[in-house]
Amino acid sequence: MEMASRREEHADPTWEAVGMEEEPNKPEKDRDESPAGDVAPENGRGKRWCAVEREEAETRRGWHGELKKTNSWKMVRFQEPSSEDDPLEKDSSSESLFPEFASEEWTGISFEKLFGKEDWEYITDDKLLRKKVQKPAGPSDPRPIWGQQVTVKMQAVLEDRTVVEKDHKSLFVIGERDVNQALEECVLSMHKGEITLLLADSQYAYGLVGREPDIPAWAPLLYQLQLLDIADKADPLNLPVSDRIRIGNQKRERGNFHFQREEYSMAARAYCLALDVLTTCESPRGNSGDGGEQEEREVRDYRVKCLNNLATAQLKLDKYNEALHASRDVLALDPNNVKSLYRAGKILSDLSQYKEAMELLKRALKLEPTTKAIHAELSKLVKRQSGGKAPQEQRAGPPPPAPELLGDNAVAPFLLASKRSTSVVSWKLILGALAVALGSLVASLVLTARN
């Protein structure tokens, strides 16, 4: 079957939505704050490695009117594992986090004029990301590198100076796209302790889609931020299970965000990062007993959610083998997961592996016998096995009686039908021949009379 038709079949609305374990259309403000790509098979140690090429989503317009391809991003707050949530640190009021650095650029100048100022430094070659240092760091203060974890105090405003992002301590890993591209690019250019203004064109922030309900489409942003700390990324195996669950869920939430924006490659990448954190090995703190087993079961449950979401994103990218692999990983953890049974059966059917597809779909049907999508896929599978025609399409009238109801004379009706059909054909041939002979006789009589 052609890939185009496969993709169309996998767009079944009944089952496409259930691939997202979270409610994908749920507003971000209603979600818990601690909430593409090519994926290689898991190696012998069970770790999933991602080689997700960066997907450039829709074409988005730059500040100066150019049309460029880019991704759009969303801020996700990451807290230290040992820190407690402080409501004051998530304040979104208009009160500035940097009252001693309330410069004219921050309070009133239009963004277009700021892009044209000469005392601002270009961070990127396209000149759409600029910064101005307000408090320089010392010459010996370090700068972060790709893959390190940083802590940043930041706030962001629209051109009318409406505050849209604010955080006393935002924790993220550079390169994992936990925050928007503008912040990652700027932090890489900063020293520890530095305070700077960052002017970001929309394509480095939230682009064409924006971010409901506060950031409109094509909106550039002005940031004020300070780099507070730099550290190496923590090894998930050295974290307690509760922190692995928290961080893994944050990554999964990030993947759901990208999935809603149809940035499927970035969504797949986020789900893979979540799976790297959601390991099922024993906690390094030596948790044991009922509490430790319960946490391990919780980790496995979240892995199932991430794997299901990953498979759904990979289907959107037409990566059928990767989606099949993720679905089989789900079944290894949860053999009765109906979503993965259906998805794997559907993919195997498309790949002409009918025997295994039939087994999986029958298992799914046994678990959920009223689901129409499973019935429909089983009908397609039977049609494919019969050579492209369903049995009901091969006959015009009502079905013949079942052989077991006819006893030893089960073939008699078919033989009688064959004889009746032969006799009807013979009489038609005789009548046709008589008509031709009669016509010839009449024609000859007419010619004779004329002569």
Side-chain angles (χ1 to χ4, degrees), residues 178-224:
D178 299 320
V179 295
N180 62 43
Q181 188 180 3
L183 287 174
E184 286 195 338
E185 296 283 355
C186 184
V187 167
L188 283 171
S189 69
M190 298 175 65
H191 292 268
K192 182 178 178 180
E194 178 182 323
I195 298 177
T196 189
L197 289 175
L198 169 66
L199 185 61
D201 181 79
S202 61
Q203 73 171 16
Y204 284 95
Y206 297 95
L208 170 66
V209 183
R211 189 189 72 186
E212 294 183 355
D214 51 354
I215 300 179
W218 306 122
L221 295 177
L222 178 62
Y223 284 92
Q224 195 169 23

Side-chain angles (χ1 to χ4, degrees), residues 212-251:
E212 294 183 355
D214 51 354
I215 300 179
W218 306 122
L221 295 177
L222 178 62
Y223 284 92
Q224 195 169 23
L225 62 154
Q226 180 180 16
L227 180 56
L228 299 176
D229 193 20
I230 305 170
D232 291 333
K233 178 183 175 181
D235 186 347
L237 298 180
N238 294 328
L239 295 174
V241 176
S242 59
D243 289 332
R244 281 183 262 162
I245 292 174
R246 177 183 53 80
I247 296 174
N249 279 336
Q250 289 172 335
K251 301 288 187 184

